[in-house]
Amino acid sequence: MTMRKLLGLAPLMFLLAGLAGCASIEPYGNFLGANAPATLNERLATDTVKQLTVLYPPASTRFDLGQPTPDTYGSALVESLRIKGYAILEFEPDEAAQADNPDNPNSTNLYRVTVMVGSQSLSRAYVAQNDTVAPAGAWVRKE
């Protein structure tokens, strides 16, 4: 398949990913599944932290987690944020919900990461192939 054909299919893929994301029952969490390679989750977390450092300066930003992070993505995200110099307040059940959610709509090879920072969200789509991921578009910031 040529690059031109792939670019022509991109809007359709994003539309389908968006519609599938709207049909999700769970609002937050890691939907990659237990069988996803750890490297996939770690790559998504690394890319998420890279974008967060562009928008929110380390050493002067504290993130209050709005859900537990027991999975590979959550653990890698928290560890990477701490290494970069962010203060992290671990999840408390009575706190307001914020989230990180790698999301795989309808078992395709498309994934989406959405991170809530206050009332703003950062989202990016990824394509998974051969146990690795690559960005399928730019980061989108909703204020």
Side-chain angles (χ1 to χ4, degrees):
M1 189 174 258
T2 67
M3 186 61 141
R4 179 166 278 170
K5 287 181 183 178
L6 279 175
L7 289 175
L9 291 175
L12 176 61
M13 292 186 332
F14 285 117
L15 175 65
L16 291 174
L19 290 175
C22 293
S24 176
I25 295 171
E26 296 290 326
Y28 306 115
N30 186 339
F31 302 108
L32 292 178
N35 296 332
T39 55
L40 208 126
N41 281 299
E42 291 166 2
R43 172 70 171 100
L44 293 173
T46 300
D47 198 44
T48 302
V49 170
K50 183 178 175 184
Q51 181 64 17
L52 287 171
T53 58
V54 169
L55 299 172
Y56 304 98
S60 64
T61 303
R62 182 183 83 180
F63 289 113
D64 298 344
L65 301 182
Q67 72 180 48
T69 56
D71 58 1
T72 307
Y73 173 81
S75 299
L77 181 67
V78 169
E79 181 181 342
S80 296
L81 287 169
R82 284 192 170 127
I83 289 170
K84 288 287 186 181
Y86 289 99
I88 304 292
L89 180 63
E90 294 290 335
F91 173 71
E92 294 292 330
D94 59 333
E95 294 287 323
Q98 298 177 32
D100 51 82
N101 63 337
D103 180 5
N104 179 2
N106 295 334
S107 300
T108 67
N109 67 337
L110 287 176
Y111 294 86
R112 182 187 71 220
V113 172
T114 300
V115 179
M116 300 297 296
V117 180
S119 62
Q120 299 178 7
S121 66
L122 291 170
S123 295
R124 189 175 206 180
Y126 294 86
V127 176
Q129 291 178 333
N130 302 325
D131 292 338
T132 188
V133 292
W139 280 96
V140 177
R141 182 178 180 186
K142 181 178 177 184
E143 296 182 3

